[in-house]
Amino acid sequence: MELFLVLGVPLLGAVVLALIGSRRHAAEVNALMSLGTLVAAAMLVLRVIRHGPMLLWHEQFFIDPFNVFLVALTAFVGFTTALFSRPYMRIEEHKGRLTPPRLRLYHSMYQLFMAAMLLALLTNNMGLLWVAMEAATLSTVLLVSLYRTRASLEAAWKYFILCGVGIAQALFGTILLYFAAEGLLGGEGMAALLWTRLDAIKGQLEPTVLALAFVFLLVGYGTKVGLAPLHNWLPDAHAEGPTPVSAVLSGLLLNVALYAVIRCKVLVEGSIRYLPGRMLMGFGLLSAILAAFFLWRQRDIKRLFAYSSIEHMGIVTFAFGMGGPVANFAALLHMTVHSLTKSAIFFAAGHASQTAGTQRIDGIRGLLVMSPTIGWGLMLGALAILGLPPFGVFASEFLILTTAMRDHPWATPILLAALGVAFAAIFGRVQPMVFGETEGRPLSHSPALLPVFAHLAIVLMLGVYMPPALAEWYRLAARLIG
């Protein structure tokens, strides 16, 4: 029942909002549907806590602590983003940037995007996982191009082409996985695509075929993660799409794509012990260091934090590549705090660009004067994502760094260089935006930034105190990953 609700509510929301998405109360319906998804996800979490991992609907869906944790995070950020988009999109409509038909498209595609991500997380079928990732890609293309400007259409086209090529690579990798297992599970139809069946026989699979499959899967899904050198679509998509879309792209879609990579890594490591981890470490370090230096060149506030997302996904990928209980625990924690912090930053950045009338960094000044809530939201979000204590990002990065010092000391200077360069680049640009002099007048009203401070409060709590139940949840998920 819970699984049906988690997948059914956003699908129902997509249909309903395709019909009424341009009406006055469509934003409230969007938020209500997202709240329903969050409640269903909470019910699913409780069921997994009580009964453990579950196989449902003829083994087509598999739920364990690893993916149910991401389901809960996805539903929560999806709900808070829907709350944020209500005032934000109305301002965009008032300014003439959006028409009623485009609002209807936005609301319906937002719910379809959420449904596709949740399906990717919950399915046990590697083929259905690929279909869900493709559906998420197509719905996001429509969201990125929502403004129909030349720049947004170019960004959507680049996103479609690059991620389309990437997802085609992932399809070929999935076919190779099926080919490797079909001989062992040949008498059971499509059982060779079920992750749990593959996991049970992973030690018997042909290593050469698995190695080739993982290369294609990593390149394919890694494109969606934004790993360098496959990251070119991500800054443009963030900069040209509506800010709520930027929030869910950075906060959710990158996690879902990385989840697909890690599920594949678990299978391949059954026959090839070191190759998947070393490949993840290599791509992770390359992404972190490349994105850190690209941060210095950014003049657009949303592109700035888009490159920050590439850096942090590189750090998470490196941690999963190291493997082991501590590194996996740190990676899961970093996925959580990055999602919450980065979505909060995009919420604040969206209102900042609306207030200043531009996304250019040199055009945004004195936010504390014009709107203290926007200014403090952006500043605290930047400090959190830069890893300053006592925020949770500091705790996860500290665990990743200390594990690297112990197991892979050669990688520690690279990580420290990436973190140091990123700190200087982001802080140097955020500080004048918040504290700089401005001729703008204070806003007559205080923007609704409850989602910003709610996210940052959770990130702060995770840096100061982690509830024992949540810590045990992370440990169990880390052990499942290997």
Side-chain angles (χ1 to χ4, degrees):
M1 180 62 180
E2 295 87 351
L3 178 62
F4 174 78
L5 289 174
V6 169
L7 296 176
V9 171
L11 283 175
L12 176 63
V15 174
V16 170
L17 288 166
L19 299 174
I20 67 163
S22 60
R23 297 184 182 178
R24 182 177 179 183
H25 298 294
E28 286 78 4
V29 175
N30 187 41
L32 184 63
M33 289 296 181
S34 299
L35 177 60
T37 305
L38 177 59
V39 172
M43 294 165 57
L44 188 63
V45 168
L46 291 176
R47 186 173 177 185
V48 172
I49 291 174
R50 290 172 184 168
H51 303 291
M54 298 180 294
L55 276 170
L56 301 171
W57 292 0
H58 306 290
E59 299 185 54
Q60 293 302 308
F61 292 91
F62 175 61
I63 308 162
D64 65 2
F66 179 30
N67 62 359
V68 83
F69 137 73
L70 287 172
V71 167
L73 180 63
T74 299
F76 177 73
V77 176
F79 171 60
T80 55
T81 304
L83 291 179
F84 162 76
S85 71
R86 176 178 170 269
Y88 181 87
M89 299 304 279
R90 282 182 175 169
I91 293 173
E92 294 293 274
E93 184 183 21
H94 178 72
K95 289 184 174 181
R97 299 191 70 192
L98 291 175
T99 60
R102 291 181 195 168
L103 273 179
R104 181 169 65 243
L105 177 66
Y106 165 76
H107 288 127
S108 60
M109 286 300 103
Y110 182 86
Q111 289 295 321
L112 184 61
F113 177 56
M114 294 298 300
M117 288 192 295
L118 292 168
L119 177 61
L121 290 172
L122 291 169
T123 184
N124 188 36
N125 190 310
M126 299 300 290
L128 193 54
L129 169 63
W130 180 88
V131 171
M133 293 299 296
E134 179 71 2
T137 300
L138 295 176
S139 58
T140 317
V141 167
L142 296 175
L143 290 170
V144 170
S145 64
L146 194 67
Y147 290 130
R148 296 297 190 271
T149 62
R150 180 173 180 174
S152 67
L153 290 172
E154 181 182 345
W157 183 248
K158 181 186 290 187
Y159 173 62
F160 176 72
I161 293 297
L162 291 178
C163 289
V165 171
I167 210 75
Q169 307 298 312
L171 176 61
F172 188 65
T174 304
I175 293 171
L176 286 174
L177 266 184
Y178 177 82
F179 175 74
E182 193 265 342
L184 298 172
L185 298 170
E188 302 182 53
M190 298 301 289
L193 282 177
L194 298 179
W195 187 87
T196 48
R197 299 286 187 95
L198 291 167
D199 188 51
I201 62 165
K202 60 187 179 184
Q204 306 171 46
L205 300 177
E206 172 58 41
T208 305
V209 178
L210 280 186
L212 188 59
F214 186 74
V215 170
F216 281 102
L217 289 165
L218 178 57
V219 171
Y221 291 131
T223 304
K224 299 285 290 183
V225 179
L227 297 178
L230 314 167
H231 65 283
N232 292 338
W233 64 269
L234 196 149
D236 290 342
H238 281 65
E240 302 304 332
T243 298
V245 176
S246 302
V248 291
L249 277 175
S250 266
L252 301 179
L253 181 62
L254 306 187
N255 282 353
V256 175
L258 186 56
Y259 163 83
V261 173
I262 300 308
R263 284 293 194 198
C264 298
K265 171 181 179 283
V266 172
L267 296 178
V268 176
E269 280 187 328
S271 293
I272 308 170
R273 185 172 181 182
Y274 296 110
L275 175 68
R278 288 172 177 170
M279 288 184 67
L280 289 179
M281 289 171 63
F283 274 102
L285 287 176
L286 176 63
S287 301
I289 196 70
L290 189 67
F293 282 101
F294 267 106
L295 285 167
W296 284 99
R297 301 179 56 187
Q298 304 315 308
R299 298 294 179 264
D300 182 291
I301 186 172
K302 290 170 69 177
R303 288 181 67 90
L304 178 75
F305 289 110
Y307 274 102
S308 173
S309 295
I310 296 171
E311 179 213 0
H312 283 277
M313 294 314 293
I315 292 172
V316 175
T317 303
F318 173 79
F320 278 126
M322 287 193 295
V326 177
N328 287 338
F329 181 98
L332 293 170
L333 176 59
H334 200 79
M335 289 174 79
T336 306
V337 293
H338 174 260
S339 293
L340 294 170
T341 307
K342 191 54 64 66
S343 52
I345 287 173
F346 275 113
F347 297 160
H351 276 312
S353 59
Q354 282 185 335
T355 301
T358 179
Q359 288 182 192
R360 288 190 60 82
I361 292 173
D362 55 10
I364 303 174
R365 290 291 183 269
L367 290 175
L368 277 184
V369 174
M370 292 190 288
S371 176
T373 53
I374 295 176
W376 281 117
L378 183 60
M379 194 70 220
L380 291 174
L383 294 177
I385 205 65
L386 290 173
L388 263 68
F391 290 102
V393 180
F394 169 79
S396 58
E397 288 181 347
F398 180 80
L399 286 173
I400 293 171
L401 278 170
T402 52
T403 306
M405 289 178 186
R406 184 192 65 194
D407 297 336
H408 306 280
W410 58 268
T412 307
I414 303 175
L415 284 174
L416 288 174
L419 292 173
V421 171
F423 184 98
I426 293 178
F427 189 79
R429 280 155 178 74
V430 171
Q431 190 272 338
M433 285 193 286
V434 175
F435 298 105
E437 296 183 359
T438 180
E439 297 179 357
R441 296 181 179 180
L443 295 182
S444 58
H445 63 283
S446 181
L449 289 179
L450 177 62
V452 174
F453 295 104
H455 284 203
L456 294 178
I458 297 172
V459 174
L460 179 63
M461 182 198 73
L462 291 176
V464 175
Y465 169 76
M466 181 177 293
L470 182 60
E472 183 58 32
W473 191 3
Y474 281 140
R475 290 191 193 99
L476 184 57
R479 288 197 295 270
L480 289 173
I481 298 169

